[in-house]
Amino acid sequence: MEVRLQKVIAASGLASRRKAEQLITEGRVTVNGQIVRELGSRVDPDRDHVKVDGRHLKAVEPYAYIMLNKPKGIVSSLRDPEGRPTIKDLLHGVRLRMFPVGRLDFDTEGLMLLTNHGQLAQALLHPRYHVAKVYLVKAKGILSDEEIDQLERGITLDDGVTAPASVKKVRKAEENSWLELTIYEGRKHQVKRMFEAVGHPVLKLKRTRFGPLSLGDLPAGEFRFLTDREANALRVILRSKQDGSHAGKADAGPTSASRVRRTARRAS
C-alpha cells in the first residue's frame, strides 16, 4: 500500500514527520535511486527503496494491534507528569512502540485499543465514521423512561448537543440503574456529563465494546493481541476512509431496535 514518503521516514524512527519533510525538501531523500523533493510523493515501503543521506531506512515495524482491559486508577496514556501508573506499565514484554487509540478516564475501566498503525487510529477516531463505543454504566438513582429518551435523543452540553445514542436497561436495582449506553462520539468525559445532565451521576463506568471489538472475558489489567479477524474488521474502517465509501455504516447511529424500544416505552 502506498503512503506518503514523510510518513515512511517517520515510521522508521529516523525523524519526526516535520523533520522528515525538511529532509525531503532539502533533497536528502532518494526513492529507487532518484532524488525526491515533493512532499506529496507516495511510496510502497514493501517495494520501493528509500534512502536518507545515502543510507537505507531501518525496517518499519509491522502493524500490531492490542486490546487492553484498563483497570480503574490507571492513566490511559504512556506517561503521566504526576507520576501515576499508566497503561504502559501493563504492557509487559511488548517491545513495539504502541500508542492508545483514544482514552478512558482515570476511574473508568474497560476496553482500550493500542496500535502502531497511525492511519487506522485516525480513522477510528474521526467523527465522520461514527465508530460505536459501548459502555456499562452504573448511575445513581433510577432513570425514568423520559430521562432515557433524553439520553437517546441528545443532551445539551456546554460544547453542544450530543449525537443520538442507544440506551438499554441491563439490570434491575432498587437504588441505582445499570444501563448499556452506545455512543458514536468521543468528547471528553462525555458519558459522565450526559448522565449528570439528567440528574443521575455515574457511579461506575466500563467500556465493553469499541467498534467491532468486544472486551469479552479479558481480565482487568491484562492485554492480548487482536486476532486476524478482529484486525481485518478494523481495516475495513480504514479502507472506507481511504476510498470515501461508507462501509460499516450500520454503526452510524442508533439501531432500529433502539427506536422500537423508545416507541414501546411511550406506549406503555
Side-chain angles (χ1 to χ4, degrees), residues 96-145:
L96 295 172
R97 296 179 301 167
M98 309 291 282
F99 54 90
V101 182
R103 296 190 177 189
L104 292 177
D105 291 343
F106 186 70
D107 59 350
T108 298
E109 56 190 299
L111 193 160
M112 288 193 67
L113 173 67
L114 295 96
T115 185
N116 57 358
H117 193 166
Q119 285 184 303
L120 176 63
Q122 292 176 8
L124 293 172
L125 295 175
H126 198 289
R128 175 181 175 185
Y129 295 93
H130 308 288
V131 176
K133 305 169 188 68
V134 182
Y135 296 85
L136 177 64
V137 184
K138 180 182 180 182
K140 186 175 182 179
I142 305 300
L143 275 75
S144 67
D145 289 344

Side-chain angles (χ1 to χ4, degrees), residues 146-221:
E146 176 56 34
E147 289 167 337
I148 291 177
D149 282 343
Q150 291 179 44
L151 293 171
E152 292 188 324
R153 290 194 303 265
I155 298 292
T156 301
L157 303 177
D158 55 9
D159 54 355
V161 180
T162 60
S166 175
V167 182
K168 181 172 66 174
K169 297 178 180 179
V170 294
R171 297 184 196 173
K172 290 184 178 180
E174 296 181 359
E175 297 181 357
N176 301 309
S177 300
W178 285 91
L179 304 163
E180 183 183 84
L181 172 73
T182 304
I183 61 174
Y184 305 86
E185 301 175 287
R187 305 188 198 185
K188 189 174 182 179
H189 308 311
Q190 180 174 343
V191 176
K192 294 178 180 177
R193 293 160 60 204
M194 289 174 67
F195 277 83
E196 287 175 359
V198 295
H200 296 275
V202 170
L203 302 177
K204 183 176 182 179
L205 186 60
K206 180 177 183 178
R207 184 158 69 189
T208 59
R209 293 188 64 89
F210 180 45
L213 305 179
S214 177
L215 186 62
D217 57 1
L218 183 66

Side-chain angles (χ1 to χ4, degrees), residues 218-231:
L218 183 66
E222 299 293 324
F223 71 89
R224 65 173 177 81
F225 286 89
L226 297 191
T227 65
D228 289 342
R229 177 174 293 184
E230 289 171 329

Side-chain angles (χ1 to χ4, degrees), residues 6 20 28 39 41 52 58 96 116 125 182 218 222 256:
Q6 57 265 42
R28 297 165 61 183
L39 296 181
S41 300
V52 176
K58 293 181 180 178
L96 295 172
N116 57 358
L125 295 175
T182 304
L218 183 66
E222 299 293 324
S256 57

